[in-house]
Amino acid sequence: MGWGTLISRRLKVFSLALFVYLDYKAVQKRVQWVSAVKKHAIWAKTHERNARRVLNLMIELEGLWVKMGQYLSTRADVLPEPYIEVLKQLQDSLPPRPLEEVRGTIEKELGKPMSELFATFDLDPLATASIAQVHRATLEDGREVVVKVQHDGIKEIILEDLKNAKSLIEWIAWAEPQYDFNPMIDEWCKEAPKELDFNHEAENTRTVSKNLSRKTEGGSGSVSSDVDVLIPEIIQSTEKILILEYMDGIRLHDNDSLEEYGVDKKKLVEEITRAYAHQIYIDGFFNGDPHPGNFLVSKEPPHKPILLDFGLTKRISQSMKQALAKMFLSCAEGDQVALLSAFAEMGLKLRVDMPQQSLEIASIFFRQSTTATEAKENIKALNEQRERNAKALQEKMKLNKKEVKHFNPVDAFPGDAIIFMRVLNLLRGLSASLNVRIVYLDIMRPFAESTLLGSMTRSPSTNSEWIYDSPVNSEVESKLRNLLIEMGSDKILGLQVCAYKDGKVIIDTAAGTLGKYDPRPVQPDSLFPVFSVTKGITAGMVHWLVDQGKLKYEETVADIWPKFGTNKKELIKVHHLLNHTSGLHNALGDVIKTDPLSVCDWEEMLDQIAKSTPETEPGSSQIYHYLSFGWLCGGLIEHASGRKFQEILEEAIVHPLHIEGELYVGIPPGVESRLATLTVDMEEIQKLEGVSPGPDIPPELLSGIAQMAAGVPAMFNTLNVRRAIIPAANGHLSARALARYYAALAAGGAIPPPHSSNAKPLLGSHVHTPAFPTAATSKKKKKGSSKKGSGSSLEKGEYVQLRTSDADSEASAATGGAGGRMFSNSDSGIMDAFMGVGEYSGMIHPNGKFGLGFRRYGKSGCAPTGFGHSGMGGSNGFCDPEHGFAIAVTVNKMALGSVTRRVVRLVCEELGVPVPDEFSVAGEKGPDMVLNLAPPAE
């Protein structure tokens, strides 16, 4: 190809692009002054004339432009209808190449005259495509074949067209920044030249055929039986010639023939989708170009799909397969944490922290397909969503309208993912062009689960990685690990156990995986959502403020928090809040039912709780404050200290114990990679149906508990909720941080010796509060904000960053936080307050299960011997001061607590520590852990 031809092709491409662009810009201005009816007609005519201009140039230039047109013609879900109708012509055969050219290529490549190669050879091609044309023939042995012959000089044309396409895409991205397709064209430039070697295509075809016919066992059992397609056998190949088995089939765009043969088009697309799901998730080797021209439908019932043309085939690594499967399943589950983890694993980097928008965008690729007749509404919906995301981005990044158009939130987009998404788009376009609706999530899920769960479903007894490789601290820890293996992955998804005896760590074990669709191992520093375990942390903060002289247990809350003193709450005292006797057990219940995500608005929840009305007289009855406890105590903490909740959490607990990075109430951005994902053991949860609540449990809490439990993970797995301050239910922590907290409480606030130096990473070695990517400089506190009762000083929603200097951090890491005290009160008085005994016994409800903020543990009919708090689903932390014992268990498979109880029983029995009723087989379960109301049998 001469320079003149190359320059001519480039000029034609850019001239047309500029012409079409200016036409649309002119129409945009024109339609502003016409009626809606005329506007629709004008746009329809504009689309049609420009589509014809594009078609004519593509036919003239052939090469890559035909392939691009074929791709665009399948996108009925996003392109205007005139483009689909016009560009659909490219699915038909292009003008054939001269027979002499075809003959010359065949004889040069195969080294023999055609008369010696074929018994018959049809002169008229079956089809002429962008790179080659196909002829039907018969070999000397009588086999019917098709002969694919590469166009002469096409390699130079394709390579030049790629350069032109790249320049065109860059120009579009400059003119209209919201349409930046550079990552896609970059990947195409890398992969498209591979199509020019037919030996490569022949080997790809053999590999895919072998893969799809192989029986595959995965996490969901055998899934290969769901794939029922045909692939022609390869007979012979060279660089420019491919001879393969002839299969008589119907073209997908031949709707009349499809109707005549009675082809079920919906089933057809489902089978094709299954074939691609198998290629992607099971094999990691898939055809990257599934446009309608690469399929036929067999004429014989049951009308199986025939897969053709494996020139553009992509191989992905095992890690990329798992990342793509995780991305798919996290979209299906609405799990933002797993989605961001999948992005990181596949190499997709974002410049902005917007998890909800990331989930919405990723979910677009797996959404239910739309029929061609619904395409217009679909385009409208996608445009509206694009506008919403742009507005959210603009607000997040504080950009003006012009700046947001030029801001790309993606920093790096992996090539493998681009081809994967292109395949999904082509499959979606295929269903739209055949006017059928496909639920991709249902079809592809078994295959994604198979690759992701394959390694996760191995029995713990045969999986050396199921228990995290960490030193064994004691003989009891060895026995515990054997128990965990015995219970196995049926009951345990992911778990941490840490225990202290006489101030020393005797257990620090992690096992299982971070989530149902996250095969990464649980590590000692993994962060688990622990629900009401958080109440024990919040209660500790209130006691710390009492110890600091900032408030008193007998003090009236309204004296500290003036807005609280309304609606019959004037007599409520601090100890009523801690003892669940304020009468506000159902406060905000109606608000949360109406809008569950309102729990994310800290200031609004505090405002609402201040306006609430008690249902019973203060101190008259102890009824578990399942959610209101957090906002009651949280508001009290902020108003008594004049500082933010998280500031007090860090000063009172996190920094003294040196557990930075492993205990949060509302996580900061930057810790997502360590988060465990919740799931539910529904078989266990169903046992709650019919359970009668005791007098200390609000009936509303057990109403529809199984349905509620099933919905909890979906809500609490979202980052919006995980980042919210919910001091009754939203703690995220490691078991070793929680155990260290209770070990300190068991010693009256004395800081235990350093955690084991063998633990990796070291406890307290994480940066505690990574900053927001777009965090602004903190505003100065208002004058007088440090005074008692002055309320919060920081702007709503602002996350406080509290970090010691590097020198302080290094010194603290070296000592492990040893020495010192959490409380200045060194006698047993502080522990009496925790349990509500001694001089504090008059502040708690007689025979109640709670002390001041903590669940009291012990034997029925005897004085309590310990205290702590459980959480919905099974996580727990408690201590027995008399025996110098503290233990924490975190789980991510929410059940009725049987795993936790077996763990605690084993450890206590081995150490000679009395087993509290809460953890015994037949003992009474506390109201703080409604989902631990399991039947005795285990």
Side-chain angles (χ1 to χ4, degrees):
M1 183 185 298
W3 280 105
T5 304
L6 295 178
I7 293 173
S8 174
R9 291 177 70 87
R10 177 166 292 193
L11 285 174
K12 288 178 180 179
V13 169
F14 280 93
S15 296
L16 178 66
L18 182 60
F19 193 86
V20 170
Y21 177 74
L22 293 176
D23 188 12
Y24 274 107
K25 282 296 181 182
V27 171
Q28 268 185 340
K29 292 184 177 181
R30 177 185 168 195
V31 296
Q32 293 177 358
W33 315 105
V34 300
S35 66
V37 176
K38 287 185 178 180
K39 184 183 296 186
H40 175 76
I42 290 172
W43 277 121
K45 288 181 180 179
T46 304
H47 293 322
E48 184 172 357
R49 68 171 172 266
N50 284 310
R52 293 202 174 278
R53 288 166 179 161
V54 171
L55 172 68
N56 292 336
L57 185 63
M58 286 178 168
I59 292 175
E60 178 187 346
L61 298 181
E62 297 186 350
L64 182 77
W65 301 109
V66 172
K67 291 190 73 65
M68 187 174 290
Q70 290 172 338
Y71 170 66
L72 294 174
S73 72
T74 67
R75 300 308 312 277
D77 56 325
V78 294
L79 277 181
E81 187 177 350
Y83 277 90
I84 304 304
E85 291 301 316
V86 171
L87 295 181
K88 192 183 291 183
Q89 297 175 47
L90 294 172
Q91 303 297 347
D92 295 323
S93 202
L94 296 172
R97 291 299 179 99
L99 182 60
E100 287 308 311
E101 178 187 315
V102 172
R103 182 189 299 274
T105 303
I106 291 175
E107 294 183 347
K108 180 180 178 181
E109 289 289 307
L110 299 180
K112 291 182 180 180
M114 284 182 60
S115 59
E116 296 180 19
L117 294 168
F118 307 104
T120 64
F121 188 92
D122 288 1
L123 301 182
D124 294 328
L126 291 173
T128 301
S130 56
I131 291 177
Q133 69 185 37
V134 178
H135 291 261
R136 185 173 178 179
T138 306
L139 298 179
E140 291 293 337
D141 60 9
R143 283 183 292 174
E144 290 191 79
V145 297
V146 293
V147 184
K148 185 175 180 179
V149 185
Q150 191 173 119
H151 299 323
D152 189 32
I154 194 64
K155 183 174 183 178
E156 291 78 9
I157 293 174
I158 291 289
L159 294 178
E160 179 62 23
D161 288 346
L162 285 170
K163 293 179 184 177
N164 292 340
K166 172 64 176 170
S167 299
L168 180 61
I169 292 299
E170 288 176 344
W171 177 74
I172 292 173
W174 172 81
E176 301 290 336
Q178 67 270 36
Y179 299 110
D180 184 359
F181 301 110
N182 271 299
M184 182 174 289
I185 196 65
D186 288 343
E187 185 64 18
W188 208 351
C189 288
K190 185 173 73 173
E191 297 294 333
K194 296 177 182 178
E195 291 191 83
L196 300 171
D197 184 350
F198 288 174
N199 284 318
H200 180 75
E201 180 178 344
E203 186 58 35
N204 291 343
T205 305
R206 294 188 184 101
T207 301
V208 172
S209 180
K210 180 181 177 181
N211 288 343
L212 293 184
S213 62
R214 185 179 63 224
K215 192 174 182 64
T216 304
E217 295 293 331
S220 298
S222 175
V223 296
S224 60
S225 59
D226 288 336
V227 178
D228 194 10
V229 297
L230 300 173
I231 298 176
E233 178 188 355
I234 299 297
I235 309 297
Q236 186 180 357
S237 69
T238 69
E239 184 181 356
K240 297 182 179 180
I241 299 294
L242 183 62
I243 303 175
L244 58 161
E245 172 190 7
Y246 172 75
M247 288 186 172
D248 191 17
I250 309 165
R251 292 274 176 192
L252 292 193
H253 66 266
D254 188 354
N255 193 60
D256 291 341
S257 295
L258 292 176
E259 295 290 341
E260 180 183 345
Y261 279 88
V263 176
D264 185 334
K265 290 184 284 187
K266 185 173 186 293
K267 182 180 178 183
L268 173 69
V269 179
E270 288 177 345
E271 291 294 344
I272 292 172
T273 303
R274 288 188 183 94
Y276 274 85
H278 194 291
Q279 291 175 63
I280 294 166
Y281 295 122
I282 306 298
D283 310 322
F285 189 74
F286 59 94
N287 185 353
D289 194 23
H291 66 76
N294 286 345
F295 300 99
L296 297 173
V297 185
S298 62
K299 292 182 178 179
E300 297 296 323
H303 306 301
K304 298 181 182 181
I306 302 172
L307 277 54
L308 307 171
D309 193 350
F310 293 88
L312 180 58
T313 306
K314 185 74 177 175
R315 185 180 297 279
I316 55 177
S317 65
Q318 177 67 21
S319 59
M320 179 58 77
K321 267 200 316 181
Q322 291 201 338
L324 292 175
K326 186 191 289 188
M327 180 176 72
F328 173 87
L329 294 167
S330 61
C331 289
E333 298 290 316
D335 185 347
Q336 296 169 346
V337 171
L339 178 67
L340 295 181
S341 170
F343 283 173
E345 289 169 27
M346 68 174 63
L348 194 159
K349 299 177 183 179
L350 302 176
R351 290 193 177 101
V352 63
D353 176 52
M354 296 176 67
Q356 182 59 39
Q357 284 71 27
S358 298
L359 182 65
E360 289 177 1
I361 292 169
S363 298
I364 288 173
F365 292 102
F366 307 112
R367 70 192 185 279
Q368 176 177 299
S369 69
T370 54
T371 63
T373 55
E374 298 168 332
K376 191 177 297 182
E377 285 301 314
N378 186 53
I379 294 171
K380 181 181 178 182
L382 290 176
N383 285 336
E384 289 174 351
Q385 183 171 332
R386 187 183 295 115
E387 289 174 5
R388 287 196 303 272
N389 290 340
K391 185 177 180 181
L393 179 64
Q394 182 178 347
E395 293 174 355
K396 177 77 174 179
M397 301 300 294
K398 298 179 174 60
L399 304 171
N400 60 40
K401 289 185 178 180
K402 184 177 181 180
E403 289 172 333
V404 79
K405 281 188 175 184
H406 290 269
F407 181 82
N408 186 354
V410 178
D411 186 45
F413 208 114
D416 289 348
I418 289 171
I419 295 292
F420 168 73
M421 292 173 182
R422 179 171 181 265
V423 167
L424 292 179
N425 283 334
L426 284 166
L427 290 174
R428 184 175 309 286
L430 187 64
S431 62
S433 63
L434 290 175
N435 210 35
V436 294
R437 184 181 290 104
I438 303 298
V439 183
Y440 289 101
L441 289 176
D442 291 347
I443 296 173
M444 302 181 82
R445 182 191 286 267
F447 299 92
E449 286 182 337
S450 181
T451 190
L452 192 60
L453 304 184
S455 61
M456 296 169 66
T457 53
R458 290 168 53 199
S459 168
S461 61
T462 61
N463 185 355
S464 60
E465 298 178 356
W466 192 74
I467 290 183
Y468 186 74
D469 185 16
S470 60
V472 176
N473 293 280
S474 63
E475 183 179 348
V476 68
E477 185 165 26
S478 295
K479 293 181 179 181
L480 169 67
R481 293 185 179 187
N482 290 333
L483 173 65
L484 298 180
I485 291 172
E486 176 190 328
M487 286 191 285
S489 55
D490 286 344
K491 290 296 179 187
I492 299 171
L493 177 60
L495 166 145
Q496 296 169 322
V497 182
C498 184
Y500 280 73
K501 185 71 170 71
D502 300 324
K504 295 181 180 179
V505 176
I506 58 168
I507 297 172
D508 190 6
T509 289
T513 61
L514 285 176
K516 180 180 178 181
Y517 296 127
D518 191 343
R520 292 177 299 155
V522 172
Q523 299 186 25
D525 64 334
S526 298
L527 300 173
F528 281 67
V530 293
F531 294 100
S532 288
V533 170
T534 317
K535 292 183 176 71
I537 305 295
T538 303
M541 295 164 65
V542 175
H543 288 290
W544 184 83
L545 287 174
V546 171
D547 181 71
Q548 295 287 310
K550 297 291 185 181
L551 54 78
K552 298 177 180 178
Y553 298 120
E554 304 94 337
E555 201 166 358
T556 302
V557 175
D559 290 342
I560 306 163
W561 184 356
K563 287 185 179 180
F564 188 82
T566 61
N567 297 330
K568 303 180 181 179
K569 299 193 299 296
E570 296 84 356
L571 299 180
I572 295 177
K573 297 185 177 182
V574 171
H575 65 77
H576 290 139
L577 303 187
L578 291 171
N579 193 232
H580 297 265
T581 55
S582 73
L584 294 167
H585 42 276
N586 283 324
L588 306 188
D590 291 339
V591 174
I592 295 168
K593 285 179 181 178
T594 303
D595 180 13
L597 292 180
S598 61
V599 299
C600 299
D601 191 332
W602 172 247
E603 299 294 342
E604 176 63 20
M605 289 295 98
L606 292 185
D607 186 56
Q608 291 289 338
I609 205 79
K611 297 175 182 176
S612 60
T613 303
E615 296 181 25
T616 58
E617 291 292 326
S620 63
S621 58
Q622 187 179 85
I623 303 178
Y624 184 48
H625 290 40
Y626 54 100
L627 267 179
S628 57
F629 180 92
W631 294 303
L632 289 168
C633 292
L636 178 69
I637 289 166
E638 290 202 342
H639 284 82
S641 66
R643 296 160 65 193
K644 293 298 289 182
F645 180 88
Q646 280 123 331
E647 288 186 279
I648 302 302
L649 172 63
E650 292 172 11
E651 183 177 347
I653 297 173
V654 173
H655 293 320
L657 294 174
H658 191 59
I659 51 177
E660 286 85 353
E662 296 193 30
L663 191 153
Y664 298 100
V665 179
I667 64 165
V671 302
E672 292 84 0
S673 63
R674 294 190 286 127
L675 293 178
T677 301
L678 294 166
T679 189
V680 174
D681 187 338
M682 285 307 299
E683 183 179 344
E684 285 273 292
I685 300 302
Q686 292 298 335
K687 296 175 183 178
L688 282 171
E689 296 295 346
V691 172
S692 299
D696 49 1
I697 301 174
E700 293 80 2
L701 190 52
L702 270 180
S703 177
I705 191 70
Q707 291 80 3
M708 182 193 76
V712 163
M715 179 175 173
F716 277 81
N717 282 336
T718 65
L719 284 177
N720 288 342
V721 174
R722 287 180 184 260
R723 290 174 177 174
I725 306 170
I726 311 175
N730 205 32
H732 284 73
L733 46 79
S734 65
R736 63 183 186 175
L738 183 62
R740 188 168 178 79
Y741 170 65
Y742 276 107
L745 296 189
I751 308 297
H755 198 77
S756 172
S757 60
N758 294 323
K760 302 298 179 186
L762 289 173
L763 178 61
S765 62
H766 285 288
V767 173
H768 185 59
T769 312
F772 273 120
T774 56
T777 304
S778 296
K779 297 182 180 180
K780 293 182 179 180
K781 293 185 177 183
K782 296 177 184 178
K783 185 177 180 180
S785 64
S786 62
K787 294 180 181 179
K788 182 177 176 179
S790 63
S792 172
S793 62
L794 298 181
E795 292 296 312
K796 180 177 177 180
E798 184 176 353
Y799 204 103
V800 184
Q801 178 162 349
L802 295 175
R803 280 193 62 189
T804 54
S805 68
D806 292 339
D808 290 342
S809 297
E810 290 175 8
S812 186
T815 64
R821 301 187 57 82
M822 292 175 63
F823 305 103
S824 59
N825 184 353
S826 59
D827 58 30
S828 61
I830 192 72
M831 279 190 287
D832 286 349
F834 295 156
M835 291 191 283
V837 297
E839 65 177 293
Y840 304 97
S841 59
M843 298 182 186
I844 69 169
H845 192 272
N847 302 316
K849 293 181 173 63
F850 287 95
L852 293 181
F854 295 94
R855 167 81 165 96
R856 304 195 297 181
Y857 292 137
K859 295 291 186 181
S860 180
C862 302
T865 57
F867 58 91
H869 220 296
S870 296
M872 182 170 65
S875 294
N876 187 282
F878 83 95
C879 61
D880 183 329
E882 182 180 341
H883 293 85
F885 175 67
I887 188 170
V889 182
T890 59
V891 297
N892 59 352
K893 189 172 188 176
M894 299 172 63
L896 300 179
S898 60
V899 169
T900 301
R901 291 199 296 278
R902 290 188 66 181
V903 166
V904 171
R905 284 204 303 272
L906 171 76
V907 175
C908 286
E909 288 167 358
E910 289 293 325
L911 295 175
V913 175
V915 180
D917 280 352
E918 178 82 2
F919 305 100
S920 68
V921 174
E924 183 181 3
K925 310 301 182 290
D928 53 317
M929 178 45 196
V930 175
L931 293 189
N932 273 354
L933 292 170
E938 297 183 357

